[in-house]
Amino acid sequence: MLCALTSAICYGTASVLQAVATRSAGPGTGSGLDPALLSRSLRQWRYLVGLCLDGIGFLLQIVALRSIPLYAVGSALAASLAVTAIASVRLFGIRLSRAEWGAVTAVSAGLAMISLASGPKADRAPPADLGWSLLAMVLVVLLSGALLGRLPGRPRALLLGLGAGLGFGAVEVAVRLIDSLAVPGILIGPALYALLVGGATGFLFLTSAFQHGSVTVATAGMVLGETIGPALVGVIWLGDRPREGLSWLAFAGCAVAVAGALALARFGEPPVEATGRKGWESRTGS
């Protein structure tokens, strides 16, 4: 759980840097998927620092995923928005209202409840076709990008963010499905490819969502996609369970943590100092 929380700190700080860098990279093409925008963002030092933090966070996330249930890791990663809010206070001088500090407290309380209720990672063997189903799902999400780019601002940002969350969520599930790093076994199974395609899909969708619409809405969609999806897979197919008699506490903790994170979704939005615009970027889409 400590690794999952440290991973959330890395991801939360990275999201501030990457959101600012993406908005500084110039206008996109208007497409749902914009590889050229990602290429321009990679020339921004803030984006590169954010990627380094993402890499550290991912290594810590792998340790957590191999040790505790998926729902616990997902809820801990949702806390990255609380980290983003606090980082925005430190880096940009943004003030949190009492309600927003309450949301930070709610996230912390929810994670404490999950930590108390979580049992060990389940050892149940996954269904034989789960890896292929996961890879197929990620490919469908990836191919949907061109269609999503034609939607108006708010729905487009929400669905691109949700698609990014599903991609990152696929990475979480794929880590659990990989039993060994031995070659050639890892190259034959679908889990490695679901991990790679899921990660690439998440970055492409999230970068485009930051550029083409409200970062607040996109971040909220991402949190929902990367917490609820893997949690359901873990409970239904991988056998993740809370401690005996504490299911209610785990469920309540997940609900409180995610609700608090969604209340803080606006802190994915670059502030005026970083964007050069008056006021925050529109929360209803650009």
Side-chain angles (χ1 to χ4, degrees):
M1 194 65 175
L2 180 61
C3 286
L5 292 173
T6 308
S7 176
I9 293 173
C10 292
Y11 288 148
T13 306
S15 69
V16 176
L17 298 172
Q18 289 168 342
V20 172
T22 301
R23 290 296 177 95
S24 302
T29 63
S31 171
L33 292 180
D34 194 347
L37 174 61
L38 180 59
S39 176
R40 292 196 302 277
S41 297
L42 288 171
R43 301 171 191 169
Q44 305 281 328
W45 70 267
R46 293 183 184 88
Y47 200 91
L48 294 176
V49 172
L51 283 181
C52 290
L53 289 173
D54 281 334
I56 296 171
F58 180 63
L59 293 177
L60 293 168
Q61 181 184 353
I62 289 176
V63 176
L65 288 167
R66 305 296 292 184
S67 307
I68 60 177
L70 281 172
Y71 65 82
V73 177
S75 298
L77 294 182
S80 64
L81 282 177
V83 177
T84 299
I86 296 173
S88 296
V89 171
R90 298 290 298 175
L91 293 175
F92 304 123
I94 299 168
R95 293 185 178 181
L96 272 68
S97 66
R98 290 183 179 179
E100 288 160 346
W101 278 118
V104 172
T105 303
V107 171
S108 302
L111 292 174
M113 294 162 67
I114 293 168
S115 181
L116 290 173
S118 294
K121 179 180 70 71
D123 292 325
R124 179 195 298 179
D129 58 349
L130 182 58
W132 291 108
S133 299
L134 183 67
L135 179 58
M137 182 275 293
V138 173
L139 290 174
V140 169
V141 172
L142 179 61
L143 293 175
S144 69
L147 295 176
L148 296 180
R150 301 176 183 178
L151 296 175
R154 180 175 285 269
R156 177 172 58 186
L158 178 62
L159 291 176
L160 284 175
L162 182 62
L166 292 175
F168 292 138
V171 172
E172 296 178 31
V173 177
V175 169
R176 280 284 297 273
L177 296 181
I178 296 176
D179 294 326
S180 171
L181 298 179
V183 178
I186 191 173
L187 299 177
I188 297 175
L192 175 63
Y193 303 103
L195 186 153
L196 296 175
V197 177
T201 298
F203 274 112
L204 280 173
F205 272 66
L206 193 59
T207 302
S208 294
F210 281 171
Q211 177 67 36
H212 297 306
S214 168
V215 179
T216 299
V217 175
T219 304
M222 181 190 69
V223 169
L224 292 174
E226 72 176 347
T227 54
I228 296 176
L232 291 175
V233 171
V235 170
I236 296 173
W237 287 292
L238 299 180
D240 288 344
R241 293 291 185 274
R243 294 180 184 179
E244 188 68 28
L246 293 180
S247 297
W248 66 271
L249 186 61
F251 178 81
C254 288
V256 170
V258 172
L262 292 177
L264 294 167
R266 80 176 182 93
F267 285 94
E269 203 84 48
V272 59
E273 294 88 348
T275 59
R277 300 185 186 184
K278 295 182 179 180
W280 289 77
E281 295 290 341
S282 171
R283 292 183 178 80
T284 58
S286 298

